[in-house]
Amino acid sequence: MGLETEVVPGVSSFSAVAAVVERELTIPEVAQSVVLTRLGGGKTPMPPGEEVRAFARHGTTMALFLSAARSGQLQEELLEGGYPEDTPCVVAYQATWPDELVVRCTLGELEATVKEHRLWKHTLVLVGPALAAGGTRSHLYHPGHFHGHRRAEPSARRRLREARRP
């Protein structure tokens, strides 16, 4: 869209990676939630009920921190949770750093991809259908939608109403 952007220190890596790969993490009718988590079993215990496998059952977008060193376990838990093998993934090493590496793969290729690139520290994994979906845009950004800060364009408003009719 030609919009100017600026990298601001302090932005979470999951947001930075989404910007780097130019993907929205939520897509209407595909995935409307983002789960931020990590694998259990590391140095810090996870609370009961906060297992990757359980979160994967939602089928939404997930951002997985501190998990690349155990990519085989990560892949296994995501698959056991219900994501199909062809679910899109983004593996990002040191996103926004000068030596960043961003690789796209499917969930079925996740472990092999992480190992091929020898990634274990400073690596974030994004997984979920929104990473590949075209989907529909939110009506909040449609020129026919109005709110307290913007008036709707009349012709766009008519098209939006027509699109909502069954």
Side-chain angles (χ1 to χ4, degrees):
M1 290 178 31
L3 300 174
E4 288 188 23
T5 59
E6 177 183 356
V7 176
V8 178
V11 171
S12 178
S13 59
F14 86 92
S15 297
V17 172
V20 167
V21 298
E22 300 179 349
R23 292 299 313 176
E24 293 180 37
L25 300 180
T26 61
I27 306 284
E29 300 178 37
V30 176
Q32 284 289 276
S33 301
V34 179
V35 176
L36 309 177
T37 193
R38 64 176 175 80
L39 274 175
K43 294 176 182 170
T44 306
M46 293 290 284
E50 292 193 21
E51 296 87 20
V52 166
R53 185 179 294 105
F55 286 133
R57 288 188 181 103
H58 295 284
T60 192
T61 306
M62 289 179 66
L64 297 127
F65 301 85
L66 307 171
S67 302
R70 295 178 287 142
S71 58
Q73 179 187 349
L74 178 60
Q75 179 176 321
E76 181 181 315
E77 289 196 27
L78 291 167
L79 289 168
E80 288 175 3
Y83 285 111
E85 285 198 11
D86 65 348
T87 302
C89 295
V90 173
V91 179
Y93 169 77
Q94 297 193 170
T96 74
W97 295 22
D99 60 341
E100 85 176 358
L101 172 67
V102 178
V103 182
R104 292 176 178 265
C105 64
T106 65
L107 179 52
E109 304 163 333
L110 179 62
E111 179 181 17
T113 300
V114 170
K115 288 182 176 179
E116 173 188 347
H117 295 282
R118 296 186 174 116
L119 303 175
W120 56 286
K121 280 187 166 184
H122 310 292
T123 301
L124 175 78
V125 175
L126 295 178
V127 61
L131 297 171
T136 59
R137 297 274 318 187
S138 170
H139 287 263
L140 295 174
Y141 308 107
H142 191 283
H145 179 75
F146 64 91
H147 51 72
H149 301 287
R150 182 183 70 212
R151 291 180 181 214
E153 294 176 13
S155 61
R157 181 79 178 151
R158 280 191 295 281
R159 288 192 306 273
L160 184 59
R161 284 185 178 155
E162 290 169 7
R164 290 182 179 166
R165 290 186 187 137

